[in-house]
Amino acid sequence: IDRNFLNCIQKVGMIRFNAFDDVGSDLSYSVALLDGNDNGIVITSLFARDCSTTYGKPIISGKSKYPLSIEEIKAINYAIRRNRESYYV
């Protein structure tokens, strides 16, 4: 059971941000969904006035072979850090 649990999503991090100056709020976001080995995905949605775009990137051991935005890195780091801190509380 413990071995299988490592493959389940257990680390989540979300960052909201304003991707474009002409959009008035933090409508864009990046969400990292990671398992116990820091493998998973990061999903980013960018909202503009006339369109929105969504990207998904695979994550292996906390890294991606694709370039990551600052917000995606923050979401991944937040998911990993928040999980580690919960063990020390």
Side-chain angles (χ1 to χ4, degrees):
I1 292 174
D2 289 337
R3 186 177 45 214
N4 287 338
F5 185 66
L6 283 175
N7 297 317
C8 297
I9 292 174
Q10 49 187 298
K11 302 175 185 180
V12 177
M14 179 175 168
I15 302 293
R16 290 181 56 143
F17 59 96
N18 186 354
F20 304 103
D21 292 334
D22 64 341
V23 178
S25 187
D26 292 343
L27 298 177
S28 298
Y29 61 88
S30 291
V31 177
L33 304 169
L34 306 175
D35 68 9
N37 298 310
D38 297 336
N39 299 325
I41 60 171
V42 63
I43 299 169
T44 298
S45 286
L46 302 176
F47 288 87
R49 288 197 181 273
D50 56 352
C51 67
S52 65
T53 305
T54 303
Y55 301 93
K57 299 174 185 175
I59 304 299
I60 307 294
S61 298
K63 308 284 184 208
S64 180
K65 68 178 185 177
Y66 299 98
L68 296 171
S69 70
I70 293 169
E71 293 81 11
E72 290 168 332
I73 293 168
K74 285 181 182 179
I76 293 166
N77 288 341
Y78 180 69
I80 293 169
R81 185 180 72 244
R82 195 169 109 188
N83 184 263
R84 285 186 185 145
E85 288 173 356
S86 67
Y87 289 116
Y88 299 108
V89 173

